[in-house]
Amino acid sequence: MNKTYLTASLRAIKTSLGRFIAIVLIIFLGVLLFVGIKSVGPDLQQTLRQMFDVQKVSDVQLLSTVGFDKKDVTKLEKLKGSKISASYSIPYFEEKKQLNLKLYSYQADMPNKLTLVKGNWLDKDTDVLVDQKLAKDYPLGSQIFLEKTLKHTKYRVVGYVTSPLYLSLEERGTTTTGDGQLDGYLYLKQNQFVGLPYSLIDITFNDLIDVDYFSNAYNTTLDAQITTLKKQLNMLKTRKIKRLQQQKQTLLAKQAKIDQQQEFSQSTAQAQQLQQAKREIQAKLSQVQQASQINYVLSKRSDWPGLVEYTSLSDRIDAIANVFPIFFFFIAVLITFTTMTRMIEENRKEIGTLKALGYRNAEIASKYLLYAVLTALFGIITGVVVGTYFIPSIICMLLKKQYIFADYNILYWSTPIILATLGALIATLGSCSYVLLKELHEKPVELLLPRAPKAGKRVWLEKSILWQRLSFNQKVTYRNLFRYKARMFLTIFGIAGCSGLLLAGFGLNDSLPAPIHKQFGEIMHYQMIATQNISQKVIFNNHEITDALAIDLFQANIKRKNKDTQTSSVYLFDQKGQQNLAKFITLKDLQNHSIKLDDRGAIVSQQLAQSLDLQPGDKFNLEVDGKTYRIKVAHITQNYVAHNIYLAKEYAEKCGLVSVNNSYLLKTKKLNSKQEEKLAQKLLDSKNFISVNLVSEQIAKQKKTTDNLGIVVLIFILLSGTLAFVVLYNLTNINIAERQRELATFKVLGFYDREVTGYIVRENIIFTLGGIVLGFLIGNILTWFILQNASSAMILFPLIIKWPDYAYATVLTIIFSIIVMYFADRKLKEIKMIEALNSNE
């Protein structure tokens, strides 16, 4: 008996294969998107973790303005629980190719191990390894001439490498030579750096080796270690200054002795000798004086070029994954739950027959539980496998063009898989169990009889004048809509969910690039920032520059009690600058009202204010070069990328901050990238400026990040469209299956096929239009919520949904509805009137 029942159960799947496939597809899509998107962030993070481990990446790098001698290194080696590695790092401008380079020393056992991309490792003393970004500039086997304090001047290119210090394939950060933008790096044997103090120290902390870089524990422990390190550096600085002062006293004593000898000198020759000795002492005194200005620059991994962009991309994808896929999966679960429930309710007669034949409840339930398990297993397994590999692979394939990783770790992550599995099982087994418990408690006689149809009621529309103008078919349609409200609301919400997902996808496509357009189009109106050489008087006589504004621009740490320290650009304007500020920067408050800079306080960008919980009237600490200034907030201004603070010179001086007008904001004619670079080089060649930064480069950098998120959005749109089609198809099938006797009755009464189809189509049009309107609301809320999660302290994504987005979502939903109606029409024509009417006999 059980074997026969099992066979009948499997046959039921075959006879309703369309519904079986639809349920599997819905579960598959939900699991695919949820597991796929939720795996991207962990995959990117694991790839970075593996690089840190394999390439022995240091936790901290230490630079000194005067370098480190052997005594300094010995002192630092006494730092408990740390491993110290001293090396050389020298900025170098290569005049032949006009490239800003950084020369590093290479040792086989050094931290931050290189990856050889092509060629060979260093063998001879005159070999050099080249940044792979510079492969076109320096072919393998070519010669590089380095006129620096190195052992040799001519080196041969033997290989191309990537360094974990430069995660991005393009970004190299800044340098102190040329235009200030580093073009690439070279590695030479350590013995080539002769007679120089060490310029770079890498530090690895033992208690961080096994700590996850992305955990709070890592940052907490690192901050504690850095605090200890800074104490050690202060002691080192004190000792070094003391030694320099002693040296200075010795030199001054020698100079005084020479002065005395010059006073009593009788010989002219003895006087070209004493004077020469005095000049040498003065030169040494100058060196000692400069060396006394010791400053240590400490950088963490997060300060290295490319790493912040990589980790922020991972964080943003993970933030998006916390909203969109969950809502998507919720819609999938809801529709699956409904489908399984309706399927069992359709089989009331069969369940009653089986109970009458003596089958136990467990045996009857096994058919439906088997059906639920099979749909869940097919959907979960295929969804997990395809989601885990398909979505991360596409994103990682794009990232290979931007970052140094040759391969990315694509792994199965237990948390999203378990959550997706639970959701799918709740939708299938949960719905089965819920309905079976209810149905199996009824007696066979009750199950063999059809449920009594809902009593017809007068609807509110009948009381209006409009009712008399409706045709008979229209009146029947509206009566049925309000008679079966649960079915109406379920269908409308199902369509609304899918329409909302589509709108959210298109909205994200517009919102994610919006910070670039708003920041560099609506707020910033200049094209260049030129850092002035203070000793030069600047006169702009270049026809490509249309306007210039002198400012003081610098970076500062912004602190407030119990809040994380933030880094911000600080703009200082004199009176002339304040009068012309609007030409270069638009300042508006959060209510979109224009605000002016004055001597009442600072204007602070909105993301900085949010990070530090600042309101107008509050105060914060602005730290510059070790000095702290107390600043009051006058206004909060709209801002979308990075942190900015604007100060009037009068107010800055009240706070003790002196403005020196070290930079210019430059407006230019419309130039392409090559013309901009040419103009920047002209400015540098004039010797009036030490660096020129192009706004277009900032735009390009931000655009790369949003382009990476663009592929995620495209996947959302494609899968949302697929889900919308499957949901519409499934809901329409349920609607037809539930109403076969009703539709057969229409046919018996003489309704033509097109009239029966029109009966269903009219309902679907109402459902679709209602779902689309509700979907607009859902789409806006969903997009806003995703953007709130994706925004960070350094970038704000505004909600931008343009009218074409509404049009696309509407048109796609209508197209899917039309296609579904086509299949529904064919199904309605296949209804056999006698069988349908006798189905309850």
Side-chain angles (χ1 to χ4, degrees), residues 31 59 86 101 139 248 315 332 436 494 726 769 814:
V31 172
D59 295 300
L101 304 175
K248 181 180 179 180
D315 292 340
L436 285 169
V726 177
L769 293 177
I814 291 172

Side-chain angles (χ1 to χ4, degrees), residues 114 227 252 257 276 286 342-343 516 523 556 775 787 805 839:
L114 306 177
T227 300
L252 287 172
K257 189 175 181 181
Q276 177 64 27
S286 179
R342 298 293 171 81
M343 181 192 76
I516 300 171
I523 295 177
L787 294 172
D805 301 332
S839 60

Side-chain angles (χ1 to χ4, degrees), residues 770-831:
I772 288 170
V773 173
L774 181 59
F776 289 166
L777 176 63
I778 292 173
N780 272 271
I781 294 171
L782 186 59
T783 308
W784 175 83
F785 198 62
I786 291 170
L787 294 172
Q788 288 295 307
N789 279 268
S791 296
S792 65
M794 297 301 284
I795 189 165
L796 174 67
F797 293 105
L799 177 63
I800 305 289
I801 301 182
K802 300 176 181 176
W803 72 262
D805 301 332
Y806 292 98
Y808 296 147
T810 301
V811 169
L812 281 174
T813 306
I814 291 172
I815 288 172
F816 295 147
S817 186
I818 292 170
I819 295 170
V820 167
M821 283 300 99
Y822 170 75
F823 289 110
D825 180 56
R826 293 178 60 182
K827 201 158 191 174
L828 288 168
K829 287 176 182 177
E830 294 170 1
I831 293 176

Side-chain angles (χ1 to χ4, degrees), residues 609-642:
Q610 185 176 327
S611 299
L612 298 178
D613 193 21
L614 291 170
Q615 298 294 332
D618 293 343
K619 291 191 174 182
F620 61 88
N621 290 332
L622 188 146
E623 189 178 276
V624 186
D625 296 331
K627 294 182 180 178
T628 301
Y629 306 91
R630 193 73 173 155
I631 306 295
K632 182 182 178 181
V633 179
H635 300 282
I636 295 171
T637 185
Q638 295 177 18
N639 198 78
Y640 297 91
V641 178

Side-chain angles (χ1 to χ4, degrees), residues 141-200:
S142 64
Q143 302 288 333
I144 299 180
F145 294 89
L146 300 174
E147 297 176 1
K148 198 74 176 177
T149 52
L150 299 170
K151 195 172 183 180
H152 297 88
T153 56
K154 186 168 68 174
Y155 292 86
R156 186 173 69 92
V157 178
V158 295
Y160 301 128
V161 293
T162 61
S163 166
L165 300 178
Y166 300 92
L167 208 63
S168 169
L169 289 173
E170 295 297 326
E171 187 185 356
R172 292 293 176 266
T174 59
T175 185
T176 56
T177 60
D179 63 359
Q181 295 298 312
L182 185 63
D183 294 304
Y185 52 83
L186 310 178
Y187 275 84
L188 304 100
K189 283 193 172 183
Q190 183 134 324
N191 61 14
Q192 296 303 294
F193 296 81
V194 182
L196 298 172
Y198 293 116
S199 49
L200 178 66

